[in-house]
Amino acid sequence: MGLNDISFTASLIADFYKNNLIETSNTKIPKHKPGNTSGNKDIQYLGKNAKGVCVLVDYANEVYLPDEQLNFLTTILQACKLNLGDVAIINRNREKISFDELRKQVRCNYLLIFGGDILDVGLKEISLFSIQNINDCTIVYSCAAEKLNNNDADSKLLKSKLWHCLKQLFNV
């Protein structure tokens, strides 16, 4: 096996480049937005957030998300012509933040929420797989990635609903 044949998981690559892929929100706050004035710690996220796409996940025992779900999410992003450099993946189980706090600290033009209770982030009830615009942020609420990342009929139906939203959202 040559060096070109070695493959790494997405989380291992993120670990290799954590100083380049994982940034605090201080480096990503647009000049017209205030910084973290609440005294809370900076939101930690995976990615560079180059396109202002925030992805909220909910995993109690992970820093961000499990490798299998990261690989699945990366595939979804690629289908939308995005990559990890374009997004900020935030584990809301570790970062107990509200939507308002998220908007203050991180550039968030689009918000994809995978799993968890929508009310926990301070948003009113949003139906699954619908596109909502709140405070100049376009939001899609989806079920957890585990429910999408299977090959059964239910998962395929859920994936098609998500894909329909993402096509509209990102014009793909």
Side-chain angles (χ1 to χ4, degrees):
M1 175 191 305
L3 286 176
N4 293 334
D5 298 321
I6 298 173
S7 63
F8 298 106
T9 65
S11 68
L12 185 58
I13 292 171
D15 285 342
F16 286 150
Y17 297 101
K18 62 182 152 194
N19 292 333
N20 293 328
L21 287 178
I22 300 173
E23 299 182 15
T24 63
S25 62
N26 285 341
T27 60
K28 293 298 173 187
I29 297 173
K31 291 181 181 176
H32 68 279
K33 287 199 172 236
N36 181 4
T37 58
S38 66
N40 294 340
K41 64 181 179 110
D42 290 335
I43 296 172
Q44 299 293 310
Y45 57 83
L46 176 65
K48 291 192 175 201
N49 199 24
K51 294 191 177 175
V53 179
C54 293
V55 180
L56 290 184
V57 295
D58 192 4
Y59 294 97
N61 298 319
E62 302 288 336
V63 174
Y64 295 105
L65 67 167
D67 286 343
E68 185 178 349
Q69 305 320 322
L70 180 60
N71 291 334
F72 176 70
L73 181 59
T74 302
T75 303
I76 290 172
L77 293 173
Q78 287 172 345
C80 296
K81 300 189 181 355
L82 298 168
N83 59 51
L84 282 177
D86 298 325
V87 303
I89 301 173
I90 301 163
N91 184 354
R92 68 189 210 173
N93 194 284
R94 292 181 53 120
E95 300 284 342
K96 305 289 187 194
I97 54 164
S98 67
F99 176 68
D100 291 335
E101 192 63 32
L102 175 68
R103 296 277 295 166
K104 287 178 187 173
Q105 290 193 46
V106 181
R107 184 172 63 138
C108 187
N109 303 324
Y110 303 96
L111 178 60
L112 307 177
I113 303 172
F114 287 91
D117 188 347
I118 195 79
L119 300 174
D120 288 346
V121 291
L123 292 169
K124 60 183 176 187
E125 198 63 40
I126 297 175
S127 58
L128 284 173
F129 307 112
S130 66
I131 299 173
Q132 302 287 321
N133 195 318
I134 300 173
N135 297 338
D136 295 324
C137 180
T138 307
I139 302 170
V140 172
Y141 180 43
S142 172
C143 56
E146 292 81 12
K147 291 184 179 180
L148 299 165
N149 194 12
N150 291 312
N151 287 323
D152 58 26
D154 289 339
S155 293
K156 288 179 182 179
L157 177 64
L158 294 173
K159 275 189 269 196
S160 69
K161 289 180 179 183
L162 176 62
W163 179 239
H164 179 73
C165 291
L166 295 176
K167 285 192 310 188
Q168 289 179 332
L169 201 65
F170 298 113
N171 297 316
V172 290

